[in-house]
Amino acid sequence: MAGRSAAPGRSVTSRVLSLLDVFDSTSPRLSLSEISERSGTPLTTTHRLLAELADWGALVRRADGRYEIGRKLWDLGLLAPVQMELRQIAAPFMLDLHTTIRDTVHLAVREELSALYVERISGRESVPIVSQVGSRLPLHATGVGKVLLAAAPADVVDRALHSLTRQTPRTVVEPGRLQRELADVRRRGYARTSEEMSPGAASVAVPVQVERGGGTVVVAALGVVVPPHRRDLARLAPVLEVTARGIGRELARTREFR
Amino acid sequence: MAGRSAAPGRSVTSRVLSLLDVFDSTSPRLSLSEISERSGTPLTTTHRLLAELADWGALVRRADGRYEIGRKLWDLGLLAPVQMELRQIAAPFMLDLHTTIRDTVHLAVREELSALYVERISGRESVPIVSQVGSRLPLHATGVGKVLLAAAPADVVDRALHSLTRQTPRTVVEPGRLQRELADVRRRGYARTSEEMSPGAASVAVPVQVERGGGTVVVAALGVVVPPHRRDLARLAPVLEVTARGIGRELARTREFR
DNA sequence: GATCCCCTTCCGTCGAGCGGAAGTTCCAGC
DNA sequence: GCTGGAACTTCCGCTCGACGGAAGGGGATC
């Protein structure tokens, strides 16, 4: 009987994380061997660790032969101050906005080179929407992304300009053109896209700003997704701006939201 | 030096979980020594494990000398099929309902002896609301709780009847009286409470049902929270029922939602 | 400068995690 | 019903990485 040795890999923690990491929104349920393969963990070890995670507090759950993220992780996740205050403050404003314009409303923050969607309100959809709460989309192909990128430090913009992936035929992948667009966004105060991320969807987005120190800081972006041929695209921006200002004002009251 | 021995406690997994478990909605940020004390883990070990969790993938985060649940856990939590389908299906209906009645709308499922709130839509609040998404409240003191309890198996009702805690002066803590109320709920098809969980708030709730096998199964409860002296409390029930039926019909289309 | 509190680093010991081998279950193909 | 294969579960001896007390900062309060 072998048992090669103790942890030749890394710490137990990192190992457990690599197991959990294989779950994503396209495959929320996986079998033991799938998890083992994807995470590169030996089958036996995977088995033992998952059993531990399942028994000891429902971090994962067995459901008819497959594993899924458990309720405990859901609970814990909800406690993450990740934008918790931001979301709680923004939600009522977004609700009002949605009632007015009837389209899908998003709130996103920048995380590295992605727009991280932290809140979304959508009724019955007229437009195909790819984003979900928790999903990340590239900064250069979405309305909220462009707003966030326009406000990002120079080094982030640089890196983003070097990784422009084509999402649809209409995605802007020319660094020069994107830079000009970002300048426009800064000047006008809002961003627009049309079928740059997914066909059949256009968007308008504005920054959510908070006064801090001397100047204002962009802490999030607020956007709407609409059918691409709507005439009133430009009219949406002022409405969004009012809402964004409301959120910003409310955020300024909280001690800290980052 | 010392180093008593290897893990004299339990598995690393359980140990890590006990660290994460000390976070709750009232204290989402804790210092090292607080976590150590609350979890009963030696200070040094706590320190090492937290460092690992923080370095190796942002499961926790250091923020000015305190620890908080990290973004990674938020991500993972969102993948939990815990009611994911239920929430996604119910959300648009709840939104419509909220637009109509303008009060806070809740969706809850029963988890053991608690009502677990899985979704909530609230605008600017006229009423103090204690529940949040992810929070658990006792079954006997809330509208959604009574609906869920009325539909629960006999042994659950029994256990619930033996643990009636008083939340406000108006909480029903007499087993007999609660049983009569549950019978009313079953007969009428909706539940009402008035200041039984928190002063200044009343609620109306109805079951969300799905046909399965021969009969119907209550899979969730839909409720509204309103000021206690509103006259139209009884009028709300039919509106809720329409929404609940819509959700139930949509749920029936999905292969599985548990 | 002394006391207290909280955090961080160090390091010798030893038992808990490791994972190959073997056993079990389940199903498809013949 | 038998056989081959794939997926899951149990077993268990070896070893090395986790354990945590001691000691060393750092900052506040008296």
Side-chain angles (χ1 to χ4, degrees):
Chain A
M1 335 301 175
R4 180 79 81 74
S5 76
R10 293 80 123 243
S11 72
V12 181
T13 310
S14 74
R15 195 167 285 253
V16 164
L17 182 59
S18 72
L19 291 189
L20 296 178
D21 239 355
V22 303
F23 293 92
D24 61 34
S25 52
T26 60
S27 46
R29 290 155 185 245
L30 295 166
S31 72
L32 177 62
S33 35
E34 283 170 329
I35 299 175
S36 167
E37 191 175 0
R38 288 195 189 204
S39 67
T41 311
L43 187 69
T44 310
T45 304
T46 308
H47 181 262
R48 180 172 37 78
L49 287 177
L50 285 176
E52 230 165 81
L53 291 175
D55 293 346
W56 226 105
L59 293 186
V60 301
R61 209 176 85 114
R62 302 215 47 154
D64 53 45
R66 326 205 120 235
Y67 290 88
E68 58 189 36
I69 299 290
R71 188 160 296 179
K72 190 80 208 171
L73 275 176
W74 186 68
D75 284 13
L76 284 172
L78 290 173
L79 291 178
V82 180
Q83 324 305 350
M84 192 161 67
E85 282 167 324
L86 175 57
R87 296 179 62 209
Q88 281 178 2
I89 287 170
F93 286 96
M94 292 173 69
L95 203 55
D96 289 350
L97 180 60
H98 175 79
T99 310
T100 311
I101 63 178
R102 299 264 93 200
D103 292 294
T104 298
V105 181
H106 281 137
L107 188 72
V109 298
R110 184 175 67 78
E111 186 181 73
E112 263 303 287
L113 296 184
S114 300
L116 173 63
Y117 287 75
V118 296
E119 187 62 291
R120 158 186 148 164
I121 296 185
S122 61
R124 245 167 244 45
E125 276 128 48
S126 51
V127 170
I129 311 257
V130 288
S131 62
Q132 290 188 343
V133 171
S135 67
R136 280 161 239 267
L137 295 181
L139 290 173
H140 66 285
T142 64
V144 287
K146 284 183 185 174
V147 166
L148 294 170
L149 191 52
D155 67 300
V156 173
V157 179
D158 274 354
R159 278 186 292 147
L161 289 174
H162 284 92
S163 60
L164 300 179
T165 54
R166 185 180 294 283
Q167 307 290 334
T168 72
R170 309 190 62 164
T171 308
V172 177
V173 290
E174 303 81 9
R177 190 169 149 214
L178 184 59
Q179 264 180 318
R180 258 173 281 131
E181 281 200 16
L182 294 181
D184 285 349
V185 171
R186 292 190 199 96
R187 189 168 39 73
R188 286 194 316 236
Y190 66 91
R192 283 170 55 171
T193 62
S194 183
E195 303 190 297
E196 294 173 32
M197 184 66 215
S198 60
S203 69
V204 181
V206 301
V208 175
Q209 304 176 355
V210 176
E211 310 250 348
R212 189 149 51 177
T216 62
V217 185
V218 174
V219 297
L222 180 71
V224 251
V225 180
V226 294
H229 301 302
R230 277 258 291 263
R231 283 295 143 102
D232 59 346
L233 273 185
R235 302 245 176 105
L236 285 173
V239 183
L240 286 175
E241 270 158 19
V242 172
T243 305
R245 254 198 300 279
I247 297 172
R249 215 175 300 126
E250 206 59 48
L251 283 175
R253 278 194 234 288
T254 67
R255 277 162 307 170
E256 47 169 354
F257 46 88
R258 266 208 73 76
Chain B
M1 319 296 164
R4 178 79 80 75
S5 75
R10 293 81 122 246
S11 72
V12 180
T13 310
S14 75
R15 193 169 286 254
V16 164
L17 182 60
S18 74
L19 291 189
L20 295 178
D21 240 356
V22 304
F23 293 93
D24 60 35
S25 52
T26 60
S27 47
R29 289 154 186 247
L30 297 165
S31 73
L32 177 62
S33 35
E34 283 170 328
I35 298 175
S36 166
E37 190 175 3
R38 289 195 188 203
S39 66
T41 311
L43 188 69
T44 312
T45 305
T46 307
H47 181 261
R48 182 170 38 78
L49 288 177
L50 284 175
E52 228 165 82
L53 291 175
D55 293 346
W56 226 104
L59 293 186
V60 302
R61 209 177 85 115
R62 303 215 47 150
D64 52 48
R66 326 204 122 235
Y67 290 88
E68 57 189 36
I69 298 288
R71 188 159 297 178
K72 190 82 209 170
L73 275 175
W74 186 68
D75 284 13
L76 285 172
L78 290 174
L79 291 178
V82 182
Q83 324 305 349
M84 191 160 67
E85 283 168 322
L86 175 58
R87 297 181 61 210
Q88 281 179 1
I89 288 171
F93 287 95
M94 293 173 70
L95 202 56
D96 289 351
L97 179 60
H98 175 79
T99 310
T100 311
I101 62 179
R102 301 264 93 199
D103 291 295
T104 297
V105 181
H106 280 137
L107 189 72
V109 297
R110 183 175 67 79
E111 186 180 74
E112 263 301 289
L113 297 184
S114 299
L116 174 63
Y117 287 75
V118 295
E119 188 59 293
R120 157 185 147 165
I121 296 186
S122 60
R124 244 166 247 43
E125 273 127 49
S126 50
V127 169
I129 310 258
V130 289
S131 62
Q132 288 188 345
V133 171
S135 67
R136 281 160 238 266
L137 295 181
L139 290 172
H140 67 285
T142 63
V144 287
K146 283 182 186 175
V147 165
L148 294 170
L149 191 52
D155 66 301
V156 172
V157 178
D158 274 355
R159 277 186 292 149
L161 289 174
H162 284 93
S163 59
L164 301 178
T165 54
R166 186 179 294 282
Q167 307 290 335
T168 73
R170 310 190 61 165
T171 307
V172 177
V173 290
E174 304 81 7
R177 189 169 149 213
L178 184 58
Q179 265 179 318
R180 257 172 282 131
E181 283 201 14
L182 294 182
D184 285 348
V185 171
R186 290 190 200 99
R187 190 169 38 73
R188 285 194 317 235
Y190 66 90
R192 285 171 55 171
T193 62
S194 184
E195 303 189 299
E196 294 172 31
M197 183 68 216
S198 61
S203 69
V204 180
V206 302
V208 175
Q209 303 176 355
V210 176
E211 309 252 349
R212 190 149 52 179
T216 63
V217 184
V218 174
V219 296
L222 181 72
V224 251
V225 180
V226 295
H229 300 302
R230 277 259 290 266
R231 282 297 142 102
D232 60 346
L233 273 186
R235 302 244 177 107
L236 285 173
V239 183
L240 287 175
E241 271 158 17
V242 172
T243 305
R245 254 197 300 278
I247 297 172
R249 215 174 301 126
E250 207 59 50
L251 283 175
R253 277 192 235 289
T254 68
R255 277 162 307 171
E256 47 168 355
F257 44 89
R258 269 205 70 78

